[in-house]
Amino acid sequence: MAAAKRLLDNSNPDTNQPNYKRMRSTTPSFASVIKEAMKANFLENLSSALEPMLRRVIPEEVENGLRRYSCRSLTRSPSLRIKALEPSNLRLIFNKKLSQPIFTGSKVVAGGDDGQSLQIILVDTSGEGMVPVTLPYPIKVELVVLNGDFPSGDTETNWSREEFDKHVVKERTGKRPLLTGELNFTMRDGVVSVGEIEFTDNSSWIRSRKFRIGAKVVQIGNNQTTVRITEAVTESFVVKDHRGESYKKHYPPALGDEVWRLEKIGKDGTFRKKLSSKGINTVQDFLKLATIDTPQIRTILGTGMSDKMWEVTYKHAKTCEMGSKLFMAHGPNYELILTPICQVVRAVINGQIYPTHDFPGIQKAYIQNLVKEAYDNWSSLEEVDETALLTQGEPMVDEYPNVHQQQQPMIRSYQQNTILTDASEQLVECNGWIGNPNYIGYTC
């Protein structure tokens, strides 16, 4: 009975009692639930909106902080403090142009006859010209391949690192690295030699059809550099497939080069086959016959070689270097000294030395026959050195002393060929060679 009464009393609580107020305060209202839900949704949306901004701003601030710290540390070194304030004054340069043409699989070297490796030099451009400089720390340098169009006109001499990196060319998909070899090295004392490097692919597949080689600084001392050193860039060049290297011409050609190394004569062409059928296989063979009998070699080549083509081929052939060797042909009453291409250097007939520009009619025809005979028996000629020839002593005395005194011969050395001449001789230039029009074997 008492329990039922208590239950009845609890079913209608007195709102004025303190316990009732506490119970009401712990039960959330519908409005408060909606309010809390809206607040949570707002915070979630705000977080989603701020996240990209924070991701971008925080790394930038960290990087700025590191840069400020690095700059403060650089101020401790007076030499680096100046370079940090004036970064555009320092740049790398290649000391020479490249030797061209460049083929895949072949070593890239500097231009010139020596075929030396490239060198990279650190210079200061703040004054007039480019003055080589050094840093107190070693510099790590990396070689990369650039598009031949870089740099553009507005950044021809001064570009940013970002612009430089944007024009780096990578290998084609599925191909080997475009440039292989020693691509990373350390520069000390402001200069470093480039090791063996070579291209593995040609340049025909990019828009400019040309490459450049660039050298950039990746580190100074033991820390990543914050000093701006402008990158070195070579001239633009074409890289050809190595299969074309075996067909390239030589400039200048050597006497022992195969005759197809000359302009207008193909490696497997008709001209080469015609010449080969007559025993003319080298540049020296070509020039010897051209010297003693130009019409004959023109006949061998046939009408397919026009006058204009002949001029190009012959001019190219005559740029070859003669060297210092001479050849002696002699008989019972004569002695001839010839260049490697059958030009007469000295003629001694019956003990008399004849100036090569002034043979009397009978002797001139006679000597020309002797030269042709020497050509036909070239393998039997005796090799003599030009220096030894000049130190043999006094020339043989002829049987006409009075004439000899009036026309005293002398030995003149010119372009590695020794030419007998006298004071009245007139030399002319022809296609880059100097000679006498009356000189036996001289053709122009």
Side-chain angles (χ1 to χ4, degrees):
M1 194 69 169
K5 184 177 182 180
R6 284 195 300 272
L7 181 60
L8 182 60
D9 293 339
N10 289 337
S11 63
N12 292 296
D14 187 357
T15 57
N16 294 322
Q17 296 296 324
N19 290 336
Y20 174 78
K21 292 181 180 180
R22 284 195 297 270
M23 292 176 59
R24 290 288 303 270
S25 64
T26 57
T27 302
S29 65
F30 178 76
S32 63
V33 170
I34 297 300
K35 185 176 180 180
E36 291 296 328
M38 293 179 63
K39 184 186 298 184
N41 189 44
F42 172 77
L43 291 175
E44 182 178 356
N45 293 337
L46 180 62
S47 176
S48 299
L50 289 176
E51 182 178 1
M53 184 185 302
L54 294 174
R55 287 181 180 275
R56 184 175 65 256
V57 171
I58 290 176
E60 292 179 357
E61 290 301 318
V62 171
E63 184 178 354
N64 291 336
L66 291 175
R67 186 179 294 109
R68 287 192 294 271
Y69 173 79
S70 299
C71 289
R72 285 196 299 272
S73 63
L74 285 174
T75 58
R76 301 171 186 174
S77 173
S79 60
L80 287 182
R81 185 190 313 134
I82 298 175
K83 296 173 178 59
L85 293 175
E86 301 179 1
S88 61
N89 291 343
L90 292 178
R91 71 184 308 127
L92 301 176
I93 62 170
F94 289 97
N95 67 327
K96 290 184 178 180
K97 292 186 176 181
L98 300 176
S99 177
Q100 298 188 43
I102 297 175
F103 293 90
T104 58
S106 297
K107 182 181 177 181
V108 179
V109 296
D113 297 333
D114 49 8
Q116 293 182 349
S117 299
L118 290 170
Q119 282 189 331
I120 301 174
I121 302 173
L122 178 66
V123 297
D124 186 349
T125 62
S126 59
E128 295 183 1
M130 296 184 179
V131 180
V133 295
T134 63
L135 290 181
Y137 308 102
I139 303 173
K140 291 187 177 181
V141 181
E142 179 183 5
L143 293 182
V144 295
V145 181
L146 299 169
N147 195 309
D149 285 342
F150 178 80
S152 58
D154 54 346
T155 58
E156 187 171 354
T157 58
N158 191 19
W159 52 81
S160 67
R161 181 62 176 267
E162 290 74 16
E163 290 170 327
F164 179 89
D165 291 338
K166 186 172 64 174
H167 288 84
V168 171
V169 180
K170 296 296 184 180
E171 65 275 7
R172 288 190 278 183
T173 304
K175 296 280 188 177
R176 295 171 54 199
L178 186 55
L179 189 65
T180 61
E182 188 179 351
L183 305 182
N184 295 275
F185 37 83
T186 301
M187 172 185 285
R188 293 181 174 87
D189 300 325
V191 63
V192 67
S193 294
V194 177
E196 292 195 4
I197 58 173
E198 61 182 44
F199 284 88
T200 64
D201 199 359
N202 62 66
S203 58
S204 63
W205 52 277
I206 62 173
R207 184 175 59 83
S208 68
R209 296 185 175 274
K210 291 184 178 182
F211 290 142
R212 293 181 189 263
I213 296 177
K216 64 179 182 179
V217 174
V218 294
Q219 186 175 338
I220 293 182
N222 296 323
N223 300 314
Q224 294 296 324
T225 178
T226 57
V227 179
R228 171 66 176 149
I229 299 178
T230 304
E231 298 77 17
V233 175
T234 67
E235 71 277 15
S236 61
F237 53 85
V238 174
V239 177
K240 301 179 180 180
D241 194 279
H242 70 91
R243 290 172 293 183
E245 184 175 13
S246 60
Y247 292 89
K248 73 176 181 178
K249 308 300 180 181
H250 285 174
Y251 303 94
L255 288 174
D257 280 346
E258 294 183 83
V259 71
W260 59 263
R261 296 290 186 180
L262 298 178
E263 290 285 358
K264 305 302 180 182
I265 300 178
K267 184 176 182 180
D268 301 315
T270 303
F271 294 145
R272 188 212 176 176
K273 293 177 181 178
K274 288 181 177 181
L275 292 170
S276 181
S277 68
K278 300 298 182 180
I280 303 171
N281 299 306
T282 66
V283 174
Q284 184 179 11
D285 295 337
F286 178 92
L287 284 171
K288 284 194 299 182
L289 183 55
T291 298
I292 67 167
D293 196 343
T294 301
Q296 182 181 349
I297 196 170
R298 293 294 305 273
T299 301
I300 294 172
L301 291 168
T303 57
M305 175 164 281
S306 65
D307 291 343
K308 186 174 181 180
M309 293 172 64
W310 167 257
E311 290 176 4
V312 172
T313 303
Y314 191 43
K315 183 177 181 179
H316 183 205
K318 292 201 296 184
T319 62
C320 71
E321 298 177 357
M322 293 292 103
S324 60
K325 287 186 177 181
L326 300 173
F327 296 83
M328 178 186 295
H330 55 82
N333 63 332
Y334 74 89
E335 178 183 285
L336 295 180
I337 303 296
L338 306 172
T339 70
I341 61 172
C342 277
Q343 291 176 319
V344 177
V345 172
R346 183 170 70 180
V348 181
I349 310 297
N350 294 323
Q352 180 177 349
I353 299 176
Y354 287 92
T356 57
H357 73 288
D358 192 25
F359 290 121
I362 297 177
Q363 282 87 345
K364 184 172 184 179
Y366 175 61
I367 291 176
Q368 285 177 335
N369 288 331
L370 292 179
V371 172
K372 288 184 178 181
E373 184 178 340
Y375 170 80
D376 293 333
N377 299 279
W378 190 263
S379 60
S380 64
L381 300 188
E382 179 183 349
E383 287 189 11
V384 293
D385 190 85
E386 179 181 0
T387 304
L389 182 67
L390 293 175
T391 57
Q392 284 180 353
E394 294 296 327
M396 299 178 63
V397 179
D398 59 58
E399 55 185 305
Y400 304 104
N402 293 332
V403 175
H404 183 69
Q405 290 175 1
Q406 295 174 1
Q407 209 171 39
Q408 179 66 36
M410 62 181 178
I411 299 293
R412 173 183 298 169
S413 180
Y414 193 88
Q415 287 193 351
Q416 298 181 326
N417 291 331
T418 305
I419 302 173
L420 185 69
T421 182
D422 64 12
S424 63
E425 179 183 1
Q426 297 295 322
L427 298 179
V428 297
E429 181 176 1
C430 174
N431 292 334
W433 286 24
I434 301 295
N436 190 324
N438 300 313
Y439 180 52
I440 290 294
Y442 179 87
T443 57
C444 182

